């Protein structure tokens, strides 16, 4: 399993950065990445990871590649 902490990240977009500076609130994507990182660092199994995200109000939607690609 490839946890979010190992996945490549897209850089924040200009609009996200500017909005964050104006409002002092992280964008939804940045907040989601923070939640995923926190859950990943303390989880030993996928179930632990999913439970921690669920407790934070994040619903995981597993996707299965039919052609076997990761």
């Amino acid at each position: 399993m490839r946890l979010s902490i190992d996945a490549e990240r897209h850089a924040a977009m200009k609009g996200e950065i500017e909005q964050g500076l104006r409002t002092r609130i992280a964008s939804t994507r940045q907040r989601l990445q923070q939640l995923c990182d926190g859950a990943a660092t303390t989880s030993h199994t996928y179930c632990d990871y999913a439970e921690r995200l669920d407790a934070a109000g994040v619903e995981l939607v597993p996707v299965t590649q039919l052609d076997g690609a990761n």
Side-chain angles (χ1 to χ4, degrees), residues 1 6 9-10 16 21 35 39 50 55 59 61 65 68-69:
M1 174 175 73
D6 297 328
R9 298 286 171 90
H10 293 282
E16 281 181 299
L21 291 172
L35 290 168
E59 179 184 357
V61 180
Q65 298 289 330

Side-chain angles (χ1 to χ4, degrees), residues 2-64:
R2 185 173 175 178
L3 297 175
S4 65
I5 202 162
D6 297 328
E8 293 181 23
R9 298 286 171 90
H10 293 282
M13 292 186 246
K14 181 181 176 186
E16 281 181 299
I17 295 168
E18 290 173 348
Q19 182 179 5
L21 291 172
R22 278 193 315 272
T23 63
R24 297 183 185 260
I25 299 172
S27 71
T28 301
R29 181 166 57 121
Q30 291 168 326
R31 181 70 182 130
L32 183 58
Q33 286 177 342
Q34 292 169 350
L35 290 168
C36 290
D37 288 346
T41 58
T42 58
S43 299
H44 299 288
T45 66
Y46 177 79
C47 289
D48 288 344
Y49 181 70
E51 287 173 6
R52 283 178 172 73
L53 288 177
D54 185 54
V58 177
E59 179 184 357
L60 289 180
V61 180
V63 176
T64 302

